[in-house]
Amino acid sequence: MAVRHGGGADETLVSPDTWHHDYALISRPGNDRVQLALFLDYASNLPLYPRLHEYLRAHQTPLLAVWGKGDEIFGPAGARAFAEDLPDAQIHLLEGGHFLLESALDEVTELIRAFLDQVDLGG
């Protein structure tokens, strides 16, 4: 049986151990209520989007978005949307799905390090 993992092309790149670990964590007593509350709270995000976009436009915050091209949970359009407010945003759509850190860790790590080398973090 194939493990569905959010749009990645090669399911062997996502370790089955990860699923067992996640299942054990999500199966803790009382966690069903926590997850349901989180799920129900997602609807409160949408009304906040205009404020987020206003902030991004006003402050031109450096932004790196590294996304899986095949992510079925957070589609690539979500990454591209940042460019509307942040013309200098670095947006990278990589081969992979929702578990991009499992399937493209080295590539993602290189992009993060390069981004951090470029931005002034005010420190």
Side-chain angles (χ1 to χ4, degrees):
M1 179 169 107
V3 175
R4 192 91 181 131
H5 65 278
D10 184 355
E11 62 195 36
T12 65
L13 295 174
V14 179
S15 169
D17 295 338
T18 301
W19 294 99
H20 295 293
H21 176 73
D22 287 348
Y23 181 76
L25 290 174
I26 213 148
S27 297
R28 292 175 294 172
N31 197 44
D32 55 345
R33 283 183 243 115
V34 171
Q35 295 302 316
L36 186 56
L38 178 63
F39 180 72
L40 291 172
D41 188 53
Y42 284 158
S44 70
N45 290 345
L46 194 56
L48 297 175
Y49 285 5
R51 287 178 42 206
L52 170 64
H53 291 282
E54 179 183 323
Y55 177 87
L56 293 175
R57 282 190 301 275
H59 297 280
Q60 291 300 298
T61 304
L63 183 125
L64 170 68
V66 183
W67 233 263
K69 285 182 189 178
D71 192 329
E72 297 172 339
I73 298 168
F74 297 108
R80 289 187 196 106
F82 288 116
E84 295 173 21
D85 298 315
L86 300 168
D88 294 331
Q90 294 185 33
I91 300 167
H92 302 272
L93 301 176
L94 306 182
E95 291 301 325
H98 189 67
F99 298 100
L100 194 59
L101 291 178
E102 295 238 3
S103 62
L105 179 62
D106 292 340
E107 191 174 358
V108 174
T109 301
E110 287 178 28
L111 290 167
I112 293 170
R113 287 184 174 150
F115 176 78
L116 291 175
D117 284 344
Q118 292 173 6
V119 297
D120 177 10
L121 298 176

